[in-house]
């Protein structure tokens, strides 16, 4: 397909007239064609008007129609073929295997949401039948279901050009909930975005849905994103990116005449607790698997393990030695964008020059222009607690080891940490009591708690929580990965005493949709 | 019991040293004893410290322990006996029957939440078992449950001195979720609050729970409430009251270093659509039942029907005549506080002097000092749409009839309305098509949609939604009445690959709690 450098608004492809966006191949520094002229207020206005128009029928599309639409999007993405992979590689510097895997994940995610839509758990149907004889007052018939919120604004993330971008998790879960989506594509991968956006456009047409179900906007700077979040028709926002970016969207959403929810996944350093027995028995294994997780994808994951907390002594020294050796030997990898690489170098520089931090290791230098050399640092527990700047995320393959004087200090550090996406225990059976002592703190601070694994590699399933307390996300009640992500875009409505002819399908007598229901508070068999 | 005029902090009763609060009997204007000296920052600090301390064990109390605690609170409230009713009557002007009914509702609500805790649906247990053979990558074991957020600040409401105050719905659902509660009692009924607060204190002691599970603060003005919401240990807020009050708490919560959710139920005029066939066949019934709902409890309900929308013509005229006659004949009723009565009179005055509004009827004058005379007004559809001030809630027995030129105008008015707690259809079978046309708008604007009833009288059950889009509430995803209210104070946590010895009870193999579970996305039979 010839990329046209256009915004996709409903079924149209139109040219913007604002500042030009051009992707850069980070492996070469070369500017790629075509140029994408950014959109402005008129394009936001048109996309939101179409989305609002589409919402009326799309939100009540049948479960099968909506599921088939999600499956058609997946097929259309697969049908793009290798062009999607090669364009993605050029725009992100990510290797072929990673992008092929990510495409599989993206399409799998769309199909998972198709199955979620059909299963209907998300409707959370509750029935409290009438009790006309109840004393002192009768009870009327009350039924509850969940309905879609309205059009959703989705911001593509830089680090998952497929799985958290135009047809990524936020889009899939919004569409599954019955919400039209207006995507603001990430400026780092506009070509990949256009390819995927056109696949969704084709799926909309093939499924006979109203065109406003999906639009894709581009624009440099923050103006178009802020205009989108401020548009009165937008009812929720999905975002994955920096803390600063997420906070700016939260402020805009709160300042609207009608505030709306922002689901921002912002930052996390994913602390890992290295418990004594585990280090005693498996130090080399732990060091090796840690560095593999740290350096995977140049560390450009929300769940990259950026903080390790251990108790000082020969075992922790051995871990630092082994991990340091592995980091020293690690090859340089191209980062997603020149900007991300520059920010990474700034972060590394700040740690390297911090008076209380010592550099343990630095990966191999590369020969490309924007390559990440992994880095490992160490500091003392008391110094870590004394400077909150040491909790800042350095996006990329950088980690800090915190050496605690004893377990009490490890516990105090756990108490001192900000909210996180994940917290991990490296533990052996002899560490069980220690782990049990830490677990309540870990639960309170993180959306996911792991034992003996590494937080990268987020499974897309029903039990997943890719979320966590602020500032990891803007709303700890939610997840942005996994089937529960659909709940972000739904709200409950109660129907009291409605005649049968008015009741939504999900609430009708006889359960025509065959969904799980809570009747008088009990799960129906 | 002798009321002591004290703050209840954990198991202690202490005197404040800030501005004095005294309840006023609105039926006589008489000031009641004792005086309650308000608390300040030290009392907020102490209550929050105790709540945080209690949280560690209370959040993991067994389902039976927690349920028994809620039941003990109910028994202790009942054990207060008639003193609770007589003090409540003196502080609120509400009649005996209403307060006896409200006590029943409050205790029933606590017992409902006990059954909700035991049933365990709120844990939302999800299991995705390990798939070690999966290609290309194995899946690790993933399990999800919901955990309590942390200490909750609850603001007592003026209009439900029992059911939405110290041991009301917000407190019951917080405690059910495993969250300690710090209540800021409403200044209008401190004696009623102290009686109920002492009942909770006794229940805490009887159940052997940590004392910080419950505290009760008093304080005039906004300082103590703002300090409570700003306290870093508070993790969520429950509020029922004015829009201005709710918005102030939302702003404070958002300005914290860690923003927290505010569940504010703020205002609603609960529009009722009078469809043509219903008016044709049942105009007198509708008018009579409307005025009964309007004037019940002097109209001091969040769900009071304050707006009626009909199509002009002889049937609507007949409705206005009949409702006007009933309003003219309605007796005056004492309002909750002098301030509420003054605000009601201001609201009535603004409508009465509005150039586009005509007064239809005014209830009988009373002989007490703070009595509500019901009021009925009418305006034209175009005039209503031209002035948003006509959508403002007048708290009390006041309603406005909007006369539409035709159904198109009725639909435009539905589109123009703000978010509401409820919307109601008065309809006959011949109105089914009209109702079907309006329903999508009603669903989008309200938390509860009724047919042929009146919105007052909110059932406490599983399907209830006492919520709705902003500005009816601050968070349309939630309800403050009914069992789903517990979800406000919970968040999901995923456990990855945890050894059996670390898994929470709810997630253990063999389902020892016997709760409903989603296994691989399917509801387990």
């Amino acid at each position: 397909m010839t990329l046209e450098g256009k915004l996709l608004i409903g079924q149209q492809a139109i040219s913007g007239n604002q500042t030009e966006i051009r992707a850069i191949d980070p492996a070469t520094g070369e500017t790629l064609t075509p140029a994408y002229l950014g959109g402005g207020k008129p394009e936001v206005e048109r996309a939101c008007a179409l989305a609002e128009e589409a919402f009326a029928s799309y939100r009540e599309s049948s479960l099968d129609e909506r599921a088939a639409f999600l499956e058609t999007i997946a097929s259309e993405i697969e049908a793009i073929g290798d062009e999607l992979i090669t364009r993605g590689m050029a725009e992100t510097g990510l290797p072929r295997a990673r992008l092929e895997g990510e495409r599989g994940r993206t399409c799998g995610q769309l199909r998972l949401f198709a199955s979620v839509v059909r299963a209907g758990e998300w409707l959370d149907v509750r029935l409290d039948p009438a009790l006309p004889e109840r004393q002192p007052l009768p009870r009327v018939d009350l039924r509850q279901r969940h309905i879609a919120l309205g059009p959703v604004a989705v911001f593509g993330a830089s680090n998952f050009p497929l799985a958290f971008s135009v047809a990524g998790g936020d889009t899939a879960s919004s569409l599954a909930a019955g919400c039209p989506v207006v995507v603001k594509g990430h400026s780092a991968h506009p070509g990949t975005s256009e390819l995927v956006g056109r696949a969704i456009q084709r799926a909309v047409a093939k499924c006979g849905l109203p065109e406003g179900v999906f639009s894709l906007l581009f624009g440099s700077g923050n103006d178009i994103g802020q205009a989108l979040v401020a548009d009165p028709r937008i009812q929720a926002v999905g975002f994955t990116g920096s803390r600063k970016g997420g906070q700016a969207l939260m402020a805009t959403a709160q300042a609207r005449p009608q505030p709306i929810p922002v689901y921002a996944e912002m930052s996390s350093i994913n602390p890992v607790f290295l418990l004594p027995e585990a280090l005693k028995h498996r130090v080399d294994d732990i060091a090796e698997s840690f560095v593999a997780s740290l350096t995977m994808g140049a560390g450009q994951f929300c769940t990259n393990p950026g903080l390790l907390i251990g108790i000082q002594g020969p075992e922790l020294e051995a871990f630092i030695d082994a991990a340091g050796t592995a980091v020293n030997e690690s090859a340089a990898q191209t980062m997603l964008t020149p900007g991300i690489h520059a920010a990474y170098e700034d972060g590394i520089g700040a740690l390297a020059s911090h008076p209380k931090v010592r550099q343990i290791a630095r990966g191999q230098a590369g020969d490309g222009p924007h390559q990440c050399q992994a880095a490992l640092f160490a500091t003392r527990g008391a110094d870590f607690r004394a400077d909150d700047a040491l909790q800042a995320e350095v996006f990329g393959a950088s980690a800090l080891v915190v050496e605690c004087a004893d377990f009490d200090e490890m516990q105090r550090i756990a108490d001192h940490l900000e909210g996180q996406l994940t917290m991990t225990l490296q533990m052996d059976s002899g560490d069980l009591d220690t782990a049990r002592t830490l677990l309540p703190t870990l639960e309170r601070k993180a959306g996911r708690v792991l034992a003996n694994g590494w937080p990268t590699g987020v499974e897309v399933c029903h039990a997943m929580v890719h979320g966590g307390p602020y500032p990891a996300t803007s709303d700890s009640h939610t997840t942005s990965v996994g089937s529960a992500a659909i709940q972000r875009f739904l709200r409950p409505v109660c129907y009291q005493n409605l005649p049968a002819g008015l009741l939504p399908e999900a609430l009708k007598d006889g359960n025509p949709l065959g969904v799980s229901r809570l009747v008088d508070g009990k799960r129906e068999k």
Side-chain angles (χ1 to χ4, degrees), chain A:
Chain A
M1 196 195 102
T2 308
L3 292 174
E4 294 184 14
K6 290 191 171 166
L7 287 66
L8 308 180
I9 300 190
Q11 286 292 308
Q12 291 193 297
I14 64 161
S15 287
N17 56 12
Q18 303 291 310
T19 311
E20 176 181 296
I21 295 162
R22 278 177 179 270
I24 293 168
D25 184 338
T28 62
E30 179 199 354
T31 298
L32 303 175
T33 56
Y36 287 77
L37 289 173
K41 289 242 165 102
E43 288 76 23
V44 168
E45 167 65 30
R46 175 87 183 123
C48 291
L50 283 178
E52 172 69 20
E53 201 180 305
F55 181 58
S57 64
Y58 183 64
R59 76 184 186 93
E60 291 292 5
S61 54
S62 75
L63 304 189
D64 269 336
E65 282 168 339
R66 217 182 294 169
F69 173 46
L70 293 166
E71 289 161 345
T72 306
I73 296 173
S75 305
E76 290 293 330
I77 290 171
E78 287 163 347
I80 301 168
D82 204 52
E83 184 182 3
L84 183 63
I85 304 300
T86 53
R87 180 72 190 193
M89 290 166 68
E91 289 186 332
T92 65
L94 292 170
R96 169 173 287 277
R98 153 69 193 271
L99 284 170
E100 288 178 348
E102 194 179 323
R103 177 175 59 187
R105 178 186 160 140
T106 304
C107 295
Q109 192 162 255
L110 286 158
R111 292 185 175 112
L112 173 76
F113 277 109
S115 74
V116 165
V117 168
R118 287 199 179 94
E121 283 282 337
W122 58 274
L123 287 158
D124 192 11
V125 171
R126 295 162 171 244
L127 307 181
D128 292 316
L131 301 172
E133 311 298 327
R134 192 181 65 172
Q135 292 300 329
L137 289 170
R139 181 171 82 185
V140 292
D141 181 88
L142 291 150
R143 306 177 189 223
Q144 188 196 113
R145 68 163 179 165
H146 275 61
I147 68 168
L149 279 185
V152 172
V154 169
F155 289 77
S158 66
N159 63 337
F160 280 94
L162 300 172
F164 264 82
S165 190
V166 178
D170 288 337
T171 297
S173 52
S174 298
L175 293 175
C179 299
V181 171
V182 181
V183 176
K184 153 72 171 70
H186 199 282
S187 298
H189 53 261
T192 311
S193 297
E194 184 184 343
L195 288 169
V196 173
R198 295 218 183 233
I200 302 180
Q201 268 190 333
R202 288 193 296 276
V204 170
K206 279 195 180 174
C207 295
L209 294 172
E211 60 171 336
V213 162
F214 172 79
S215 290
L216 169 62
L217 306 176
F218 296 106
S220 64
N222 300 326
D223 289 357
I224 197 168
Q226 294 291 342
L228 186 55
V229 173
D231 189 283
R233 288 155 296 204
I234 295 296
Q235 293 299 304
V237 179
F239 169 87
T240 298
S242 70
R243 191 183 300 186
K244 204 177 130 197
Q247 287 171 335
L249 296 181
M250 288 169 71
T252 302
Q254 281 294 320
R256 290 166 47 119
Q258 177 221 6
I260 54 172
V262 172
Y263 303 110
E265 193 263 85
M266 296 187 283
S267 60
S268 183
I269 54 174
N270 304 295
V272 178
F273 293 83
L274 305 169
L275 300 192
E277 292 295 315
L279 279 191
K280 194 177 289 175
H281 297 112
R282 307 186 277 118
V283 66
D284 289 332
D285 276 3
I286 294 174
E288 187 187 335
S289 55
F290 157 62
V291 178
S293 175
L294 175 74
T295 57
M296 182 164 62
Q300 299 166 120
F301 293 107
C302 319
T303 52
N304 196 55
L307 193 74
L308 298 109
I309 302 145
I311 297 169
Q312 63 190 36
E315 287 86 4
L316 186 59
E317 288 307 315
F319 169 79
I320 291 173
D321 283 353
T325 302
V327 166
N328 278 328
E329 290 168 357
S330 67
Q333 295 172 76
T334 301
M335 296 194 86
L336 291 159
T337 70
I340 285 173
H341 179 251
Y344 176 74
E345 286 296 326
D346 285 352
I348 296 295
L351 283 169
S353 63
H354 192 290
K356 302 294 189 185
V357 172
R358 65 187 199 278
Q359 183 170 311
I360 303 294
R362 193 77 205 267
Q364 301 290 308
D367 45 15
H370 304 113
Q371 294 199 320
C372 173
Q373 288 174 258
L376 186 65
F377 300 92
T379 191
R380 304 238 159 202
D383 295 326
F384 180 77
R385 289 197 291 134
D387 185 357
D388 281 346
L390 293 176
Q391 287 200 48
E393 182 182 16
V394 178
F395 190 73
S398 168
L400 176 64
V401 181
V402 180
E403 301 160 311
C404 303
D406 50 25
F407 177 72
D408 276 359
E409 184 162 59
M410 181 180 267
Q411 175 70 57
R412 279 199 301 277
I413 282 170
D415 292 336
H416 175 69
L417 289 169
E418 294 184 324
Q420 304 287 341
L421 294 173
T422 72
M423 296 230 193
T424 300
L425 292 160
Q426 289 292 339
M427 59 178 287
D428 268 17
S429 54
D431 293 310
L432 201 60
D433 287 343
T434 313
R436 207 174 274 130
T437 304
L438 282 170
L439 186 60
T441 308
L442 272 47
E443 282 177 336
R444 286 194 70 180
K445 300 268 183 168
R448 178 163 54 116
V449 178
L450 302 81
N452 297 329
W454 298 94
T456 45
V458 182
E459 183 73 32
V460 182
C461 61
H462 306 281
M464 179 50 62
V465 179
H466 189 65
Y470 187 93
T473 79
S474 54
D475 183 344
S476 74
H477 293 77
T478 62
T479 175
S480 61
V481 175
S483 64
I486 192 175
Q487 293 169 1
R488 299 177 295 172
F489 305 113
L490 296 165
R491 70 175 180 87
V493 176
C494 173
Y495 301 83
Q496 179 170 327
N497 197 34
L498 251 59
L502 270 189
L503 276 175
E505 208 59 14
L507 300 181
K508 283 190 171 150
D509 289 342
N511 194 8
L513 297 184
V515 295
S516 175
R517 312 192 296 183
L518 212 58
V519 180
D520 262 331
K522 290 180 188 62
R523 185 66 55 186
E524 198 176 42
K525 298 294 174 196

